[in-house]
Amino acid sequence: MKRVGILLSGRGSNFEAIAQRIDEGKLDAEIAVVVSNIETAPGLRRARERGLDVAFVSSKGLAREAFDQQVVDILHKRRVDLVCLAGFMRLLSPSFIRAFPNRILNIHPSLLPAFPGLQAQRQALEYGVKVSGCTVHFVDEGLDSGPIISQAVVPVLDGDTEESLSARILEQEHQIYSKAIQIVLNGQIRIEGRRAVPIS
Amino acid sequence: MKRVGILLSGRGSNFEAIAQRIDEGKLDAEIAVVVSNIETAPGLRRARERGLDVAFVSSKGLAREAFDQQVVDILHKRRVDLVCLAGFMRLLSPSFIRAFPNRILNIHPSLLPAFPGLQAQRQALEYGVKVSGCTVHFVDEGLDSGPIISQAVVPVLDGDTEESLSARILEQEHQIYSKAIQIVLNGQIRIEGRRAVPIS
């Protein structure tokens, strides 16, 4: 059974969607550990309630590298095959990324490369796009810039607020993240240049 | 009847789609003139074959402003209500844009703001996105940056070449451009900040 480590800073709704797919037998994996940099993150509490291994790593007074090394140590100790970011509000250092080459995934609430960074849904509304969506991608050293595994599209409606658009995108996030994780765990994808292409 | 002026530099397939929609009674407008900066543009020939007014304006040895002024004069003389770029391979000068405030449309073969500029389909393939599409937008002084009226999505398939993706996007361009033109001609849209919003 492939082992997934999850990093989160907030409510962790994508973590919960992944855990639910596993419970339903729709994603063939197990969650080895849930790590957070925020002690009070609701996602961390929910992971505990599910009886999962959890870890809180305080970033207080730590240099990025020192914090990242602690997280990497935890992930290595739990023999994690794949790291999934689920609302983890910190940039990973290059040494973290090198510790899990092509083994870190993120989900972002826009059709990348449009609207990277924070508040992607607000960026999309302010730009005035008519469609947006979400993107599962490998994490590299850039900002939301790694090879794309999967994207889902949602319409932007005329009366949309940041909340209504975010909710519509989130539904799709919950759909595509687990599927992308399964594809990567199955080794059904390889990276060519900056493209993630299926192995036929 | 609202009068549309079309600017093109190449085959003008979007021009032909617009002309066809008008012929079919699906777009309530008339083409007042087709202008090209390329004397041999197939689109200009086809406009002539359709019996439309055409104009070739050579940019040879002309400063941008002088060229643009000639085109603006032609469009004004034909009492054009709306200017539609259809593969017009020149940037418009600020004075051109000021001559037709919120009255110039363009269609671009990507989901803007992703992949502005030339070879948008190739940019999309090289980036490795899983969805792309096309965008009808008002022309402002930036590069493919004006308020968006309409977008259509197409999937990027694993075996896609620049040609196959371009063809799939082009089908959608032909669909959405005429509809967007109708909406603008009907005055069903207003610009708020950088957003084009329907008037309800």
Side-chain angles (χ1 to χ4, degrees), chain B residues 112-123:
Chain B
L112 291 170
F115 313 124
L118 294 175
Q119 298 184 308
Q121 302 95 332
R122 184 187 295 187
Q123 290 183 57

PDB file of all heavy atoms in Angstrom, chain B residues 112-123:
ATOM      1  N   LEU B 112      -7.123  33.570 -21.833  1.00  0.00           N
ATOM      2  CA  LEU B 112      -6.400  34.690 -21.211  1.00  0.00           C
ATOM      3  C   LEU B 112      -6.814  34.811 -19.749  1.00  0.00           C
ATOM      4  O   LEU B 112      -7.962  34.502 -19.424  1.00  0.00           O
ATOM      5  CB  LEU B 112      -6.714  35.988 -21.959  1.00  0.00           C
ATOM      6  CG  LEU B 112      -6.128  36.063 -23.374  1.00  0.00           C
ATOM      7  CD1 LEU B 112      -6.674  37.267 -24.129  1.00  0.00           C
ATOM      8  CD2 LEU B 112      -4.601  36.117 -23.338  1.00  0.00           C
ATOM      9  N   PRO B 113      -5.913  35.216 -18.846  1.00  0.00           N
ATOM     10  CA  PRO B 113      -4.603  35.810 -19.113  1.00  0.00           C
ATOM     11  C   PRO B 113      -3.488  34.804 -19.377  1.00  0.00           C
ATOM     12  O   PRO B 113      -2.332  35.223 -19.477  1.00  0.00           O
ATOM     13  CB  PRO B 113      -4.319  36.602 -17.832  1.00  0.00           C
ATOM     14  CG  PRO B 113      -4.993  35.802 -16.765  1.00  0.00           C
ATOM     15  CD  PRO B 113      -6.240  35.263 -17.412  1.00  0.00           C
ATOM     16  N   ALA B 114      -3.787  33.513 -19.500  1.00  0.00           N
ATOM     17  CA  ALA B 114      -2.724  32.566 -19.846  1.00  0.00           C
ATOM     18  C   ALA B 114      -2.351  32.717 -21.323  1.00  0.00           C
ATOM     19  O   ALA B 114      -3.233  32.878 -22.166  1.00  0.00           O
ATOM     20  CB  ALA B 114      -3.186  31.136 -19.567  1.00  0.00           C
ATOM     21  N   PHE B 115      -1.074  32.694 -21.612  1.00  0.00           N
ATOM     22  CA  PHE B 115      -0.538  32.619 -22.974  1.00  0.00           C
ATOM     23  C   PHE B 115      -0.964  33.764 -23.887  1.00  0.00           C
ATOM     24  O   PHE B 115      -1.531  33.545 -24.969  1.00  0.00           O
ATOM     25  CB  PHE B 115      -0.901  31.263 -23.606  1.00  0.00           C
ATOM     26  CG  PHE B 115      -0.636  30.107 -22.680  1.00  0.00           C
ATOM     27  CD1 PHE B 115      -1.643  29.205 -22.352  1.00  0.00           C
ATOM     28  CD2 PHE B 115       0.613  29.934 -22.106  1.00  0.00           C
ATOM     29  CE1 PHE B 115      -1.408  28.153 -21.491  1.00  0.00           C
ATOM     30  CE2 PHE B 115       0.864  28.879 -21.231  1.00  0.00           C
ATOM     31  CZ  PHE B 115      -0.155  27.987 -20.929  1.00  0.00           C
ATOM     32  N   PRO B 116      -0.705  34.987 -23.493  1.00  0.00           N
ATOM     33  CA  PRO B 116      -0.909  36.111 -24.407  1.00  0.00           C
ATOM     34  C   PRO B 116       0.167  36.091 -25.500  1.00  0.00           C
ATOM     35  O   PRO B 116       1.136  35.335 -25.408  1.00  0.00           O
ATOM     36  CB  PRO B 116      -0.735  37.334 -23.500  1.00  0.00           C
ATOM     37  CG  PRO B 116       0.191  36.865 -22.432  1.00  0.00           C
ATOM     38  CD  PRO B 116      -0.136  35.398 -22.218  1.00  0.00           C
ATOM     39  N   GLY B 117      -0.022  36.918 -26.498  1.00  0.00           N
ATOM     40  CA  GLY B 117       1.009  37.064 -27.526  1.00  0.00           C
ATOM     41  C   GLY B 117       0.956  35.995 -28.597  1.00  0.00           C
ATOM     42  O   GLY B 117      -0.049  35.310 -28.760  1.00  0.00           O
ATOM     43  N   LEU B 118       2.063  35.882 -29.303  1.00  0.00           N
ATOM     44  CA  LEU B 118       2.112  34.997 -30.471  1.00  0.00           C
ATOM     45  C   LEU B 118       2.157  33.525 -30.074  1.00  0.00           C
ATOM     46  O   LEU B 118       2.590  33.179 -28.980  1.00  0.00           O
ATOM     47  CB  LEU B 118       3.347  35.340 -31.319  1.00  0.00           C
ATOM     48  CG  LEU B 118       3.326  36.730 -31.973  1.00  0.00           C
ATOM     49  CD1 LEU B 118       4.650  37.010 -32.669  1.00  0.00           C
ATOM     50  CD2 LEU B 118       2.165  36.860 -32.941  1.00  0.00           C
ATOM     51  N   GLN B 119       1.698  32.681 -30.992  1.00  0.00           N
ATOM     52  CA  GLN B 119       1.801  31.226 -30.841  1.00  0.00           C
ATOM     53  C   GLN B 119       1.260  30.738 -29.506  1.00  0.00           C
ATOM     54  O   GLN B 119       1.896  29.950 -28.790  1.00  0.00           O
ATOM     55  CB  GLN B 119       3.263  30.793 -31.012  1.00  0.00           C
ATOM     56  CG  GLN B 119       3.790  31.130 -32.410  1.00  0.00           C
ATOM     57  CD  GLN B 119       5.192  30.631 -32.649  1.00  0.00           C
ATOM     58  OE1 GLN B 119       6.067  30.910 -31.835  1.00  0.00           O
ATOM     59  NE2 GLN B 119       5.403  29.932 -33.737  1.00  0.00           N
ATOM     60  N   ALA B 120       0.059  31.216 -29.199  1.00  0.00           N
ATOM     61  CA  ALA B 120      -0.553  30.871 -27.911  1.00  0.00           C
ATOM     62  C   ALA B 120      -0.762  29.363 -27.784  1.00  0.00           C
ATOM     63  O   ALA B 120      -0.593  28.798 -26.698  1.00  0.00           O
ATOM     64  CB  ALA B 120      -1.896  31.593 -27.777  1.00  0.00           C
ATOM     65  N   GLN B 121      -1.126  28.706 -28.878  1.00  0.00           N
ATOM     66  CA  GLN B 121      -1.377  27.259 -28.812  1.00  0.00           C
ATOM     67  C   GLN B 121      -0.081  26.517 -28.516  1.00  0.00           C
ATOM     68  O   GLN B 121      -0.067  25.569 -27.733  1.00  0.00           O
ATOM     69  CB  GLN B 121      -1.967  26.761 -30.143  1.00  0.00           C
ATOM     70  CG  GLN B 121      -3.279  27.458 -30.534  1.00  0.00           C
ATOM     71  CD  GLN B 121      -3.053  28.623 -31.478  1.00  0.00           C
ATOM     72  OE1 GLN B 121      -1.992  29.270 -31.469  1.00  0.00           O
ATOM     73  NE2 GLN B 121      -4.054  28.912 -32.300  1.00  0.00           N
ATOM     74  N   ARG B 122       1.011  26.943 -29.137  1.00  0.00           N
ATOM     75  CA  ARG B 122       2.297  26.301 -28.860  1.00  0.00           C
ATOM     76  C   ARG B 122       2.731  26.561 -27.422  1.00  0.00           C
ATOM     77  O   ARG B 122       3.232  25.666 -26.731  1.00  0.00           O
ATOM     78  CB  ARG B 122       3.376  26.811 -29.826  1.00  0.00           C
ATOM     79  CG  ARG B 122       4.705  26.082 -29.618  1.00  0.00           C
ATOM     80  CD  ARG B 122       5.833  26.665 -30.436  1.00  0.00           C
ATOM     81  NE  ARG B 122       5.592  26.486 -31.858  1.00  0.00           N
ATOM     82  CZ  ARG B 122       6.480  26.781 -32.798  1.00  0.00           C
ATOM     83  NH1 ARG B 122       7.681  27.276 -32.453  1.00  0.00           N
ATOM     84  NH2 ARG B 122       6.196  26.607 -34.066  1.00  0.00           N
ATOM     85  N   GLN B 123       2.520  27.802 -26.969  1.00  0.00           N
ATOM     86  CA  GLN B 123       2.826  28.113 -25.567  1.00  0.00           C
ATOM     87  C   GLN B 123       2.070  27.168 -24.628  1.00  0.00           C
ATOM     88  O   GLN B 123       2.628  26.664 -23.655  1.00  0.00           O
ATOM     89  CB  GLN B 123       2.405  29.543 -25.223  1.00  0.00           C
ATOM     90  CG  GLN B 123       3.214  30.656 -25.851  1.00  0.00           C
ATOM     91  CD  GLN B 123       2.710  32.023 -25.343  1.00  0.00           C
ATOM     92  OE1 GLN B 123       2.669  32.293 -24.147  1.00  0.00           O
ATOM     93  NE2 GLN B 123       2.307  32.882 -26.262  1.00  0.00           N
TER      94      GLN B 123
END
